[in-house]
Amino acid sequence: MPVELFAVLQAGPLDAVLAPFYWFLALWSDLLFAVGDATGLGFLDYRFMHRAILVGLCIGVMAPLIGTFLVHRQLALIGDALAHTAFAGVAVGLFLNGVFSLGVSPYLTAVVVAVIAALLIELISEATDAYNDVSMAIVLSTGFALGTVLISLNAGGLAVGINQYLFGNLSTVSAENAAILLVLFAVIVGTVALTRNQLLYVTFDETAAAVSGISVTWYNRVMVMLTALVVVGAMQIMGVILVAAMLVVPVAGAAQVSQSFSESLLVSVVLAELAVLLGIGASYYGEATAGGVIVLFAVGIYVVAVAIGKVQARAGEDATPELGSIDAAETRSNSD
């Protein structure tokens, strides 16, 4: 019996909620087993790689999907702030499990803490009139401080278990964590699909959006909460330290070669997926940390995109005639 389906038989309300996603994971594994048999790719013989690839593909969609809005709103660093508070959420889960034996998933506590932190960033900015970077710095410092304190209180078990969350690990993506990621993916993509026009309006002109009757405060909070969900989801293979890179680097690369917001969004997803797939494959065969390898590929792709953008800009300049090059006699003859 597949591990994903066996998990459904375990007692607990969370397993009942995740049952459809366990079923999908089983189908996904069957598909990749077939692909592995047909292509001879050895890493497709392992279920943990199936889950890692699926998680990576989801990250490659939802990270640039949210990151495109963040970059255009000059909130690129909010991902780093929420990643550090997600670290505190993981520490809370590990602490509760170590001290009280609750058996709660650290990813669920990370989701709760990250969402609360995202709302705090907005509330601090609204209540104190501070710039967003000030509130992000406060929340980042508080979250990381809380995480380190909880680890120090029970250093024996927590210090060992926290490493996989700091740096990410392909082999630790469990069926439960992959199913939780699928839930987050559905929530993020569904919310953006339903509120795309409002988010776009608020991103480019908050004043006009407010005049037209859109609740700018509400959609700002929606955006930061979605960012928190992306950060927690990507933390599984990217790690806390590097998770923010997937929100920014593919989007920055897409901006170099795109002519519109929609085109930038689509290109950023393609670039992110390319970096994820190349990074996972290279990290498996090179026995390196997946998060770091993925980010290095993403940065390399960004450099290529910058070069392509420069070539496109130069070609556009060459194709545009200078005013001084227009023949005056030809202009008069055409006017006659």
Side-chain angles (χ1 to χ4, degrees):
M1 180 182 297
V3 176
E4 290 83 359
L5 291 180
F6 178 76
V8 181
L9 301 179
Q10 298 177 341
L14 180 61
D15 294 315
V17 174
L18 299 179
F21 300 97
Y22 287 133
W23 173 78
F24 177 80
L25 288 173
L27 291 181
W28 175 254
S29 286
D30 292 340
L31 173 62
L32 291 193
F33 276 133
V35 173
D37 293 338
T39 61
L41 295 174
F43 66 88
L44 294 181
D45 293 335
Y46 305 100
R47 289 187 180 275
F48 77 89
M49 286 300 297
H50 300 169
R51 295 190 291 267
I53 292 172
L54 180 60
V55 168
L57 291 174
C58 291
I59 293 170
V61 173
M62 62 187 190
L65 180 65
I66 300 301
T68 303
F69 289 97
L70 296 178
V71 170
H72 283 86
R73 299 179 66 178
Q74 299 181 345
L75 291 174
L77 292 180
I78 193 174
D80 198 31
L82 293 178
H84 284 76
T85 56
F87 163 77
V90 169
V92 169
L94 293 175
F95 180 81
L96 293 176
N97 292 338
V99 176
F100 301 104
S101 301
L102 295 182
V104 64
S105 172
Y107 280 110
L108 291 181
T109 56
V111 169
V112 174
V113 173
V115 169
I116 292 174
L119 293 176
L120 281 176
I121 290 175
E122 284 295 310
L123 291 176
I124 291 174
S125 297
E126 295 169 6
T128 64
D129 293 328
Y131 291 107
N132 276 327
D133 58 346
V134 175
S135 59
M136 284 188 285
I138 294 172
V139 171
L140 183 152
S141 303
T142 304
F144 206 70
L146 175 61
T148 54
V149 168
L150 291 177
I151 291 174
S152 65
L153 291 177
N154 188 7
L158 295 188
V160 176
I162 204 69
N163 284 336
Q164 61 178 296
Y165 301 101
L166 283 174
F167 305 105
N169 195 324
L170 295 178
S171 62
T172 58
V173 181
S174 65
E176 180 182 78
N177 291 339
I180 293 174
L181 184 278
L182 290 175
V183 174
L184 297 180
F185 177 82
V187 171
I188 292 167
V189 175
T191 302
V192 172
L194 292 174
T195 62
R196 178 185 181 276
N197 292 336
Q198 292 87 340
L199 292 176
L200 195 60
Y201 207 170
V202 171
T203 296
F204 287 100
D205 195 336
E206 287 191 357
T207 302
V211 171
S212 65
I214 295 176
S215 177
V216 173
T217 300
W218 166 250
Y219 285 103
N220 282 338
R221 292 175 182 176
V222 168
M223 178 54 59
V224 295
M225 286 190 292
L226 292 178
T227 306
L229 298 183
V230 171
V231 166
V232 175
M235 187 172 60
Q236 298 190 54
I237 64 173
M238 299 301 301
V240 167
I241 297 176
L242 297 173
V243 66
M246 293 306 292
L247 287 166
V248 178
V249 179
V251 178
Q256 302 298 315
V257 296
S258 303
Q259 304 299 322
S260 67
F261 182 87
S262 297
E263 182 182 353
S264 175
L265 181 58
L266 178 61
V267 173
S268 64
V269 170
V270 173
L271 298 183
E273 295 288 15
L274 182 60
V276 165
L277 293 177
L278 291 175
I280 290 177
S283 64
Y284 174 81
Y285 287 110
E287 298 182 356
T289 302
V293 178
I294 291 173
V295 171
L296 289 177
F297 271 108
V299 173
I301 293 171
Y302 167 75
V303 172
V304 174
V306 171
I308 294 175
K310 295 296 183 182
V311 172
Q312 288 178 341
R314 181 64 60 85
E317 292 175 358
D318 294 341
T320 303
E322 297 181 2
L323 293 177
S325 65
I326 300 177
D327 188 9
E330 182 180 352
T331 303
R332 287 195 299 270
S333 64
N334 290 334
S335 63
D336 295 337

